[in-house]
Amino acid sequence: LLDPATIYALDDINWSFSGNMSPTRSAYGLLDARNIHWYPATYIPEIPYSLIELLSRPGDRVMDPFAGIGTTVWQALALGREAFGGELTLIGQNSCRDIWALLSHDTNLRETEDDLDSRLNSWSGEDFSKEFMETERGALLAPWYSVGTFKELAFLAHIEEALVGRPAFHLFRLSTSAVLASVSEQRRGWGCIADNMKPREGDFMSAPPSRNPIDRVLKKASLVTRSIASARERLRYPEDYIPMAQESVSHIFGGDSLTSGALAPSQGYDLIVTSPPYPAMVDYSTAQRLSYYWNGLSPELDVSKEIGARRRRFSSSSLLDYTAEMINAVDAMKGSLKVGGKLALVIPVFTTAGADDPRTIALQAVFGSPAASGLELCWQTDRILPTGRRQLNQKWTSLQRENIRIYERTR
Ligand SMILES: C[S@@+](CC[C@H](N)C(=O)[O-])C[C@H]1O[C@@H](n2cnc3c(N)ncnc32)[C@H](O)[C@@H]1O
């Protein structure tokens, strides 16, 4: 199913991408979405880059139906593929659309950053807190921020209205979403924010006058601009394919990928590369609680549609639900591929509880199911997660290994 040269190349990669083992690939300076937004469980760009490079050709249709903040999408664009993504959470979708707009050739990055800078630097201390407090989003956000921080957020909300429709809106929305958690008074990390643990009175007593969100947004925006500018220099489009900002509308599908059209049989993808939701590990929507609030929305509706949601972990049917939903997802992914198309997956390997770990059994059920018939396994390998990443995620997972596997749709 795979030619010997491809298998040789796949075998030759150090999939842990740790240390100095793969200098040639890191030398590409791939757009690493993790520098842009802290969205959890985002995989390293080297993985999708290598898979796309070896399993598809320029111009091919490449999809990630669990796109997160689009790591796969950016690598596909960098390699001149026609890139698609599907993502359930509003924050993941928005981030994908914003990054897409900033990457596209019709956005002048320098002007965009200047536009945002001059507006944010125009703040001379005016207080819009009262009117912000009267909006739905202001009321949702207030319990999480000190008075001084809230005052600056009120100014940011005020500015936002004037940015709608301008390229700077994308830079603003992305950067604001990325800093909202770190300027809140819940100092014990996003896990507590996900669990809706509001800061306590004592937390406010020890708070500085402001955590400077305006300044933080400016700094973030500058970092985002720099990462995107250098990624743009490396985009290798075929001459006839230059994505425009508005193309994100037809290439990024929002909502549940099983019903949004992302995996419609008519799509005929050449390649799907994805890291699907892992069972009972992270709730992506509630992790972005404050960004949902910024949009005047609650994350609860989206979290109820998330495959593998951690919040269901205590329910006895949680793993059964996960298995059933993933079987449907595998079936839909297969159905949206061309015959001969490839499906490349990064899935967890649970080592701590042995072979009887119910999560392992659930994954076996998914890939041993009839939905997977017509999909033939062509290649697989395990990768060891670097310790740094493990420590970062310790509260959520003791995951030490992942399995990368490639299937071909044979009929
Ligand atoms: C492991 S993450 C993928 C991260 C991504 N590969 C990246 O590096 O940015 C899984 C993603 O699947 C999304 N997801 C969960 N259920 C979904 C559904 N039914 N439809 C679409 N996306 C879903 C989650 O919100 C999360 O962003």
Side-chain angles (χ1 to χ4, degrees):
L1 294 171
L2 289 175
D3 61 78
T6 306
I7 294 192
Y8 182 82
L10 287 164
D11 285 339
D12 204 35
I13 292 172
N14 173 334
W15 291 93
S16 298
F17 292 104
S18 51
N20 298 321
M21 304 283 211
S22 48
T24 50
R25 262 162 230 284
S26 49
Y28 280 119
L30 308 178
L31 178 59
D32 190 340
R34 295 173 303 173
N35 294 333
I36 293 182
H37 199 294
W38 59 274
Y39 196 90
T42 295
Y43 59 16
I44 55 170
E46 285 88 342
I47 295 177
Y49 187 93
S50 307
L51 291 166
I52 296 165
E53 187 185 34
L54 293 173
L55 299 173
S56 66
R57 284 182 293 238
D60 277 0
R61 293 163 68 81
V62 176
M63 168 53 132
D64 182 347
F66 302 105
I69 51 175
T71 305
T72 309
V73 178
W74 319 132
Q75 306 322 314
L77 285 179
L79 286 159
R81 276 50 166 179
E82 188 173 4
F84 296 86
E87 171 55 45
L88 175 72
T89 72
L90 177 72
I91 309 312
Q93 283 162 44
N94 284 351
S95 302
C96 285
R97 298 215 165 93
D98 294 337
I99 296 171
W100 185 295
L102 296 169
L103 266 174
S104 77
H105 291 222
D106 49 341
T107 298
N108 181 322
L109 269 183
R110 179 173 295 236
E111 279 175 15
T112 302
E113 196 188 3
D114 287 350
D115 187 14
L116 186 62
D117 274 16
S118 66
R119 285 161 198 267
L120 296 196
N121 283 319
S122 74
W123 189 53
S124 55
E126 309 101 293
D127 193 353
F128 301 96
S129 303
K130 198 161 163 281
E131 58 183 88
F132 190 39
M133 198 56 206
E134 278 158 17
T135 63
E136 181 125 14
R137 58 186 186 155
L140 285 165
L141 288 164
W144 299 84
Y145 298 96
S146 70
V147 173
T149 304
F150 191 74
K151 185 173 163 188
E152 291 191 37
L153 291 179
F155 170 73
L156 290 172
H158 174 77
I159 285 293
E160 187 180 50
E161 283 160 37
L163 290 172
V164 174
R166 305 177 68 84
F169 174 76
H170 295 290
L171 186 57
F172 174 85
R173 180 166 72 173
L174 192 57
S175 309
T176 305
S177 170
V179 307
L180 279 174
S182 65
V183 297
S184 90
E185 292 312 324
Q186 176 44 277
R187 309 304 299 159
R188 283 172 294 158
W190 63 262
C192 293
I193 297 175
D195 290 342
N196 206 7
M197 288 164 61
K198 295 195 181 68
R200 290 168 301 204
E201 223 176 287
D203 297 327
F204 287 104
M205 312 250 276
S206 54
S210 167
R211 294 200 185 267
N212 310 319
I214 298 177
D215 195 47
R216 298 288 287 270
V217 169
L218 279 168
K219 291 209 170 89
K220 189 73 194 178
S222 148
L223 194 88
V224 169
T225 310
R226 269 182 283 137
S227 317
I228 291 191
S230 65
R232 259 167 74 158
E233 283 164 19
R234 291 183 186 84
L235 292 176
R236 283 192 267 141
Y237 302 115
E239 270 156 26
D240 59 347
Y241 183 63
I242 298 175
M244 306 295 274
Q246 69 184 49
E247 281 182 55
S248 79
V249 177
S250 52
H251 287 71
I252 304 293
F253 293 82
D256 178 355
S257 284
L258 274 74
T259 53
S260 65
L263 295 175
S266 57
Q267 294 290 359
Y269 299 120
D270 298 283
L271 173 64
I272 293 178
V273 176
T274 193
S275 148
Y278 294 177
M281 281 208 173
V282 183
D283 291 351
Y284 295 91
S285 314
T286 50
Q288 303 300 326
R289 175 181 301 285
L290 299 174
S291 294
Y292 272 84
Y293 289 170
W294 182 264
N295 288 281
L297 297 168
S298 147
E300 312 302 329
L301 183 65
D302 277 354
V303 82
S304 70
K305 298 186 213 150
E306 265 181 43
I307 298 179
R310 177 180 153 270
R311 76 164 31 185
R312 294 194 229 153
R313 70 196 181 285
F314 299 120
S315 126
S316 57
S317 65
S318 138
L319 268 178
L320 287 176
D321 291 349
Y322 174 81
T323 308
E325 287 162 2
M326 276 304 294
I327 287 175
N328 288 338
V330 169
D331 199 34
M333 288 193 278
K334 178 182 72 183
S336 70
L337 280 172
K338 287 177 184 158
V339 173
K342 304 283 189 297
L343 169 62
L345 299 170
V346 181
I347 58 174
V349 179
F350 298 102
T351 45
T352 41
D356 298 335
D357 189 315
R359 297 168 302 182
T360 304
I361 294 168
L363 285 168
Q364 279 164 354
V366 170
F367 294 105
S369 80
S373 75
L375 285 177
E376 205 156 318
L377 188 62
C378 321
W379 182 85
Q380 65 171 323
T381 193
D382 275 6
R383 70 182 289 265
I384 312 288
L385 267 67
T387 6
R389 158 116 186 253
R390 259 185 262 154
Q391 274 157 4
L392 197 70
N393 288 343
Q394 217 160 39
K395 179 156 188 282
W396 304 96
T397 154
S398 53
L399 200 64
Q400 293 172 2
R401 282 199 290 154
E402 284 173 332
N403 178 251
I404 303 177
R405 49 175 72 191
I406 301 169
Y407 291 91
E408 178 172 313
R409 178 177 179 180
T410 51
R411 57 187 147 85

